[in-house]
Amino acid sequence: MNLKKFFATICAASLLIAGCGSDNAAKVDETSQEAIIKLGMITHLNASEKQMEEYFFKVQEKSRAKVLNHVPKFYDNLNLMIMGIESSNVDQISVYECVANYLMANNNKFEVAKADWISGLEDNFCFAVKHEDTALTADLNKILDEMKSDGSLNKMIDEYIINVDKGKTPPAIELPKFDGAETIKIGVTGDLPPLDFVDTDGKPAGFNTALLAEIAKRLNKNIEIIQVESGARAAALNSDQIDVVFWSIVPVSDVFPADVDKPEGIDLSKAYFKDNITHLKLKE
Amino acid sequence: MEFSEVIYKIFLKDGGWLTILNGLWVTVQISALSLLLGTLFGSLLCFFRMSNFAPLRIFAQIYISIIRGSPVLMLLMLLFYGVFARTGISPVIVAVITFSMHTAAHVAELLRSALMALDKGQVEAARTLGFSKIQAFKLVTLPQLVRIAKPVYQSTIVNLIQWTSVIGYVTITDLTRVINNIASRTMQPMITITGGMIIYLAISYLVYGIFHWTDGRRAQ
């Protein structure tokens, strides 16, 4: 008897749930002609998800896209975002072009998703330094300027980011050591290949080691690379566990304010790299 | 790309498995040290908690309720980025301190519950028969205490090993961090994280196995 009752309740409950579900789905279809696309994005260093969402809708509005059908969903890092799209929590993911190329070369499940409104959307990559460390920021800016004018920065970007062989990882560059010189601690996440990643031997490699080795050489100072979880980067910087956060984003757009992702009391260096934003989706 | 090829690329290529072993070693070291210190401190805490001297008892009560009621990641970040921020203490030591503190609270409670499960009359009887306090503890209380506390202690150890997976937040490269790095580099997070989970599962079963083995030896 009890069993019968139990099954009856379950059936009733499932009918109820199914009924509600189909109701909701019908409503969504009526209100928007184009289907909503859930878009995965990486949480920023400082800008809150709500802020980012507001700007995000502004960019869509400004573009010629008639329907605001991209809704952002935020992930802590690239890994989680890829898992999100693989389990269809989101339909598309927003990544940098170099990351997208690397991703497609290593995981053949992905392809580029077309979205007109993102064309021309770019982000600058900078160092984040504490506001008190004005000397360090000035040094970094000076070296970046020098490297830009003598072309070594562009060469590095070509070698370690743009022209990475398909399916390969760029090599690690050894950091120079100066006895008795002071040490700058640089926090990296290891979450954004080919810019920032950790090689099979457990040590950071690729563009970040190349750039940091060059900076160490020009500064005549030791550089120590410390890997920090991306969620703990701001805390690490504020508590002096690291002196520099290796990548911080400054959007290049008239909609986004330049300091949208700048935490209080922190200065950003000049940009060392600029990349377009691309959307990826799973192959059908 | 074939599945076996992906597995090879993720876990074996260019000595990647050595890096995983290094990460595993860091996890095991921190867990073992924290377990040792935590058990010692936890026993002391349990002694405080059961004592008749009110200040000690209240201190233990407050300590246990705060530590058991807060997430260990918060405690870890607070200690590393707050309390020990500018002291230059290595993150591994901060992690060991944090996890010892955390384990101690749990061990204190599990010991207390085991002590409360014991029959007080037995100790009284032993005392009447002329055993000293220490003898009564060693010969009557301790053997039963070990038997009652063992299953809970074993799950505390397994929990501790899993809690240590957050130490990537304080710049330590443990097993979880290594797995995350590999996932980022190979862009295959699903498979890599499943592999990492299997490794954690294997350690847990190793712990269960050791306990099971010691049970079997006692029975003989």
Side-chain angles (χ1 to χ4, degrees), chain A:
Chain A
M1 233 10 232
N2 267 339
L3 209 63
K4 220 171 176 181
K5 229 183 215 170
F6 173 72
F7 276 118
T9 323
I10 295 269
C11 283
S14 55
L15 264 178
L16 210 67
I17 292 167
C20 290
S22 60
D23 256 14
N24 282 346
K27 261 178 215 155
V28 170
D29 280 344
E30 276 166 32
T31 46
S32 69
Q33 270 126 19
E34 257 180 80
I36 300 261
I37 297 174
K38 278 178 278 172
L39 178 71
M41 293 176 86
I42 299 180
T43 309
H44 284 61
L45 179 63
N46 188 53
S48 73
E49 295 185 358
K50 198 159 174 281
Q51 268 175 318
M52 288 311 293
E53 206 166 314
E54 272 168 31
Y55 290 122
F56 183 82
F57 283 122
K58 265 189 207 163
V59 174
Q60 287 192 63
E61 243 166 56
K62 259 199 134 184
S63 71
R64 275 158 289 168
K66 279 178 199 137
V67 192
L68 309 184
N69 64 339
H70 282 76
V71 177
K73 206 170 177 181
F74 292 90
Y75 290 93
D76 262 4
N77 55 46
L78 189 62
N79 276 335
L80 297 178
M81 199 160 80
I82 294 173
M83 290 175 78
I85 191 172
E86 283 187 359
S87 60
S88 25
N89 269 318
V90 288
D91 307 310
Q92 296 183 1
I93 56 175
S94 158
V95 287
Y96 297 105
E97 208 169 276
C98 65
V99 180
N101 289 336
Y102 183 88
L103 177 52
M104 285 187 290
N106 283 282
N107 191 334
N108 52 10
K109 279 187 239 165
F110 294 93
E111 64 182 359
V112 175
K114 283 221 173 73
D116 294 334
W117 63 273
I118 53 165
S119 70
L121 218 54
E122 288 177 315
D123 277 0
N124 270 327
F125 289 75
C126 311
F127 294 104
V129 189
K130 269 181 305 261
H131 185 61
E132 304 92 79
D133 284 350
T134 38
L136 183 57
T137 319
D139 282 344
L140 287 174
N141 281 339
K142 205 180 109 213
I143 290 173
L144 287 175
D145 277 342
E146 278 172 22
M147 287 179 69
K148 270 176 206 162
S149 56
D150 66 16
S152 55
L153 188 62
N154 275 332
K155 214 179 117 207
M156 220 174 255
I157 288 172
D158 279 345
E159 189 177 345
Y160 293 98
I161 300 178
I162 311 292
N163 296 329
V164 178
D165 286 339
K166 198 171 180 287
K168 292 249 172 69
T169 50
I173 306 297
E174 203 167 328
L175 295 171
K177 278 210 173 70
F178 302 98
D179 286 335
E182 73 170 297
T183 302
I184 303 171
K185 289 177 283 185
I186 300 209
V188 301
T189 63
D191 280 340
L192 201 70
L195 272 170
D196 182 0
F197 75 99
V198 175
D199 214 347
T200 36
D201 60 355
K203 292 194 181 102
F207 178 74
N208 62 6
T209 53
L211 180 62
L212 292 178
E214 187 62 32
I215 288 177
K217 224 176 279 167
R218 294 186 188 215
L219 264 181
N220 281 326
K221 282 177 187 167
N222 292 313
I223 281 184
E224 186 189 350
I225 299 182
I226 297 177
Q227 210 195 346
V228 190
E229 200 81 23
S230 49
R233 278 179 299 169
L237 187 61
N238 278 323
S239 63
D240 284 338
Q241 296 287 6
I242 55 175
D243 301 314
V244 179
V245 169
F246 187 55
W247 56 273
S248 176
I249 302 300
V250 178
V252 192
S253 161
D254 42 353
V255 179
F256 287 88
D259 59 352
V260 61
D261 198 28
K262 195 167 80 82
E264 209 142 302
I266 282 173
D267 285 346
L268 298 178
S269 76
K270 287 184 178 166
Y272 55 81
F273 180 57
K274 185 157 102 172
D275 207 358
N276 294 322
I277 288 171
T278 315
H279 288 184
L280 290 183
K281 63 177 182 190
L282 287 176
K283 277 183 195 162
E284 310 256 305

